[in-house]
Amino acid sequence: MADIVQILLSESFWAASLRIATPLIFGVLGALMCERSGVLNLGIEGIFVAGAMAGWMAVWLGAGLWGGVVVAALTGACFGLIHAVLTVPLGLSQHVSGLGVTLFATSASYFAYRTALPNVSSPPRIEPFRALDIPVLSDLPVLGPVLFQQTALTWLALILVGIVWYVLERTPLGVAIKAVGDNPDSADAQGLSVQGLRIGAVVAGSALMALGGAFLTMSAFDAFFFGMVNGRGWICIALVIFASWRPGKALAGALLFGAFDALQVRLQTQVGALVPGQLFLMAPYVLSIIALVVAARRAEYPRALLKPWFKGQR
Amino acid sequence: MMRIEPREAPGRLLTLGVPVLSALVALALAAIPLMLAGAPVFAAYGEMARGVFGSLFAFSEVLTRTTPLIFTGLAAALAFRAKLWNIGAEGQLYLGAMAAVAVGAGALDVPGWVLMPLIVVLGAAAGAAGMMVPAVLKTRFGADEVVTTLLLNFIVLIFVQMMLEGPLKDPMGLGWPQSAPILDQGMLPQLIPRMRVHAGLILALVLAAVAQFMLARSVWGFRLRAVGENAHAARHAGIGVNRTMLSVAAVSGGLAGLAGVSEVAGLKGYLTADLSPGFGYTGIVVAMLAGLSPAGVVVSALFIAGVFVGADSMSRAMGVSSYLADLVVSMALLSVLVGGFFARYRLRLGPERPPGRGPGQASGKEQGHG
């Protein structure tokens, strides 16, 4: 018990929580954006992989770190567009299309990586984003190390929480997106383009998801590995439900998740000899299922989620 | 003005033609990554064909690959028919394989006619139990089974690693994380001498036939289809929706468990954490290509297995990454989705007609929230 208290009081623990939460923040925001417009995007896991691969490869080919971020986002948007076209104008099963996009994006990324680097034993490294280390602010007690020694991508994630919240809650565009996800018929009656808004939301949301992947190869690590996304996309889908489709709660959920994950890593080093390490590795997935079960009862899904909509039909 | 119209009745030719066409489109699209990889395209296709049809051994390898895909394809097809989104076949496969080595690798030294059926039954039971967890979480708590089955895949795989470093570890395994081998009398017999294709294939074919019959002719199959087509109406008609869901979950999980049994007791002999290269996920593609028909699963599993075996052999010969196979499989899924759309609707150029039946009803009906 004293151990846990000590961990919770350490700055490095909170810094690690925020770091672990960062890709999830991007992913949850992206998934939330898609679902608010009425489209479940199970392409998320593959889009994470594609963002991680494309961003890393762009930097490796000399595009620069921010160039890599842009390439990752565009790659995510392209895969999002496939899902959007299949599910919105064609109205196909969102489940199957999403899984198809995940398989397609994953295998395309792996194939591209293997084709570009046929015979490397250890993956080539890039110079990743460095901690910002803002003068004065990063020397603040507690807040300094936790907030002001993160990389620029973590800051981008936090800023995007604010932007997505502002757009969804305070702008006509946000009202429109939520309207097509809740009641497309009345949105249409008000002259909104239901299909256009849905396609836009899915494409934008997918770009956000890809940034989560890019964080992995360009900030958390400095190389691309097979299997490095490791279910983070699926965890985001669970967190969106946990967060009731709200950006603020999504941030809280991702941080809570990051804190649990950081805690288990630290506990593992302390009691590792007593318990098999795999139990700790399972923790994030078990935690996500628990979060989902807890949230499921009171979950208020966007009312038109999974329902295709076509003009002129009620 | 372009508009979308339903076809009066999608004919038999169209229902059969779309999957075949989609498979061919996916194969043809493989030319793009092949060109990007700088390989001579026609020679590469030639190598793939040789890898599949080049010899009896080559084709027996395809049949060996087909076996687990029939099981996982059936698992997905039955579940999806009931709108139960079991994406957890990968995990259930490992549970089945674990049960097989737990009982078959020396724990019980009994004659083969006892051990073999025991391994099969326990493996299926383990897979079924694995799917009951998300199914109960769905029926009792309303937790979305898509996410829970996906997450359980990761949990099961880590559990397998834990078992392989603990209770199931082979003491003679020189420290490798692998289980002890299944006793000889417990192994499924080989079908052709000196080839790897084994009796698991026969079991898979029999179960596909049984599934086809049950789905089309039995009361259980009727309930399953009713729940899948419209859970609301099924409930009104007095069908126990949750009971049906749970039974479908058990059958689907059991079939996926058998994929693990057949891989471990038919092919590998012992369990490692890399037993399956994603057979569970590929089963979804198999099922979709088959139009969720159990009989069709056999054909599409054969096709997908051919893609994998052919691409492997092409990859060895020409140095193109064997991820090409995964790419073709994922493109086959996307093209069969799109193809299914064009089987049901046609695009017409012309003035808009008064609103009538369009894609909304038909596809909307299939999408009821799961």
Side-chain angles (χ1 to χ4, degrees):
Chain A
M1 212 49 223
D3 291 344
I4 295 183
V5 173
Q6 200 164 26
I7 290 172
L8 291 180
L9 288 178
S10 75
E11 293 161 345
S12 74
F13 164 75
W14 290 104
S17 304
L18 183 53
R19 201 163 52 237
I20 295 167
T22 303
L24 302 176
I25 296 173
F26 283 118
V28 180
L29 285 179
L32 182 152
M33 188 93 124
C34 299
E35 291 182 27
R36 266 297 175 90
S37 81
V39 181
L40 173 71
N41 189 351
L42 293 180
I44 184 169
E45 181 82 4
I47 292 172
F48 257 74
V49 177
M53 212 294 293
W56 171 86
M57 188 168 280
V59 177
W60 184 66
L61 292 172
L65 284 170
W66 287 107
V69 171
V70 172
V71 168
L74 287 177
T75 308
C78 287
F79 285 111
L81 186 62
I82 297 177
H83 184 58
V85 168
L86 291 181
T87 56
V88 181
L90 297 188
L92 296 164
S93 161
Q94 295 179 5
H95 284 116
V96 182
S97 166
L99 291 168
V101 168
T102 280
L103 292 177
F104 182 53
T106 307
S107 50
S109 306
Y110 287 180
F111 182 81
Y113 179 83
R114 265 282 162 262
T115 304
L117 302 152
N119 323 299
V120 288
S121 47
S122 68
R125 300 183 179 285
I126 58 167
E127 189 60 40
F129 277 101
R130 296 247 155 262
L132 284 180
D133 222 355
I134 303 164
V136 188
L137 287 179
S138 56
D139 296 329
L140 287 175
V142 190
L143 272 186
V146 174
L147 267 183
F148 296 107
Q149 292 180 17
Q150 301 284 354
T151 69
L153 282 184
T154 298
W155 275 94
L156 180 63
L158 294 173
I159 293 166
L160 279 169
V161 174
I163 293 177
V164 170
W165 173 83
Y166 182 81
V167 168
L168 280 179
E169 304 298 334
R170 290 287 182 273
T171 65
L173 176 64
V175 174
I177 291 175
K178 288 188 291 186
V180 300
D182 268 329
N183 194 341
D185 286 331
S186 76
D188 177 59
Q190 289 164 30
L192 296 170
S193 162
V194 175
Q195 299 205 339
L197 282 162
R198 283 186 172 176
I199 292 174
V202 172
V203 170
S206 303
L208 288 177
M209 294 168 180
L211 292 181
F215 176 85
L216 295 177
T217 46
M218 297 166 62
S219 187
F221 304 97
D222 53 6
F224 178 77
F225 309 100
F226 293 99
M228 77 186 302
V229 173
N230 216 357
R232 281 184 178 85
W234 309 135
I235 289 173
C236 290
I237 298 287
L239 281 177
V240 176
I241 301 170
F242 183 71
S244 324
W245 294 268
R246 290 175 196 287
K249 283 189 178 173
L251 173 64
L255 285 176
L256 190 67
F257 192 93
F260 268 110
D261 211 24
L263 183 66
Q264 61 95 358
V265 172
R266 281 159 178 74
L267 282 180
Q268 199 176 347
T269 56
Q270 297 192 357
V271 296
L274 305 174
V275 197
Q278 285 94 349
L279 284 183
F280 290 101
L281 291 178
M282 282 182 202
Y285 309 106
V286 176
L287 209 63
S288 305
I289 292 180
I290 293 173
L292 192 64
V293 170
V294 168
R297 274 269 178 254
R298 56 176 172 77
E300 283 184 38
Y301 285 80
R303 281 194 296 279
L305 186 67
L306 296 174
K307 298 197 179 94
W309 182 90
F310 301 96
K311 203 171 176 69
Q313 291 167 7
R314 294 280 163 118
Chain B
M1 183 68 200
M2 197 177 68
R3 66 209 152 72
I4 298 167
E5 261 180 21
R7 291 177 194 275
E8 285 69 33
R12 203 171 173 75
L13 191 68
L14 218 53
T15 2
L16 285 177
V18 161
V20 173
L21 204 64
S22 313
L24 292 179
V25 165
L27 265 184
L29 284 175
I32 300 171
L34 276 173
M35 274 189 281
L36 291 178
V41 172
F42 287 102
Y45 279 114
E47 277 301 333
M48 275 191 248
R50 200 183 346 235
V52 175
F53 302 110
S55 64
L56 180 61
F57 178 77
F59 195 68
S60 80
E61 282 299 288
V62 175
L63 293 178
T64 311
R65 258 289 169 111
T66 306
T67 307
L69 292 178
I70 295 178
F71 286 119
T72 55
L74 290 175
L78 289 180
F80 286 18
R81 267 291 180 91
K83 292 272 158 29
L84 176 72
W85 299 103
N86 176 11
I87 325 288
E90 188 77 4
Q92 292 138 26
L93 179 153
Y94 274 103
L95 288 173
M98 246 189 313
V101 294
V103 65
L108 280 179
D109 198 352
V110 290
W113 61 271
V114 182
L115 189 57
M116 221 184 297
L118 199 62
I119 288 176
V120 169
V121 169
L122 283 178
M131 184 54 205
M132 286 317 273
V133 174
V136 169
L137 290 180
K138 176 193 171 73
T139 53
R140 285 291 295 275
F141 302 102
D144 185 26
E145 78 278 19
V146 177
V147 189
T148 50
T149 52
L150 279 166
L151 291 169
L152 276 165
N153 287 341
F154 292 88
I155 296 175
V156 171
L157 195 62
I158 297 170
F159 184 67
V160 169
Q161 287 159 358
M162 187 166 114
M163 289 293 117
L164 289 179
E165 283 173 22
L168 287 181
K169 186 173 181 171
D170 182 7
M172 319 290 274
L174 304 171
W176 290 103
Q178 65 184 44
S179 78
I182 289 189
L183 300 179
D184 282 344
Q185 73 265 32
M187 290 291 287
L188 303 171
Q190 281 165 325
L191 295 181
I192 311 171
R194 291 192 309 281
M195 301 201 181
R196 301 201 301 166
V197 58
H198 53 85
L201 179 63
I202 308 291
L203 181 62
L205 291 174
V206 169
L207 287 178
V210 172
Q212 179 71 35
F213 178 81
M214 292 290 283
L215 192 62
R217 297 287 157 83
S218 74
V219 177
W220 179 76
F222 170 76
R223 290 201 183 115
L224 185 161
R225 284 180 286 132
V227 168
E229 270 154 33
N230 191 338
H232 224 65
R235 192 170 284 125
H236 273 288
I239 294 174
V241 172
N242 280 355
R243 271 233 324 262
T244 309
M245 279 285 182
L246 291 175
S247 72
V248 175
V251 171
S252 171
L255 285 163
L258 285 177
V261 171
S262 121
E263 281 302 280
V264 85
L267 193 63
K268 301 286 169 61
Y270 53 86
L271 175 62
T272 54
D274 60 358
L275 178 75
S276 162
F279 288 135
Y281 300 103
T282 311
I284 296 168
V285 185
V286 169
M288 288 307 296
L289 260 185
L292 305 187
S293 124
V297 160
V298 175
V299 182
S300 65
L302 196 61
F303 168 73
I304 303 271
V307 169
F308 274 106
V309 173
D312 266 353
S313 117
M314 185 276 300
S315 166
R316 276 192 301 274
M318 324 199 75
V320 174
S321 162
S322 59
Y323 281 110
L324 184 74
D326 301 80
L327 206 47
V328 172
V329 166
S330 65
M331 290 190 295
L333 177 58
L334 294 177
S335 33
V336 80
L337 261 178
V338 176
F341 177 84
F342 287 109
R344 277 178 284 139
Y345 310 102
R346 63 176 112 223
L347 289 180
R348 276 272 173 82
L349 294 175
E352 205 152 348
R353 271 200 319 202
R357 254 176 62 83
Q361 280 93 341
S363 48
K365 197 172 66 186
E366 278 182 16
Q367 313 243 344
H369 179 244

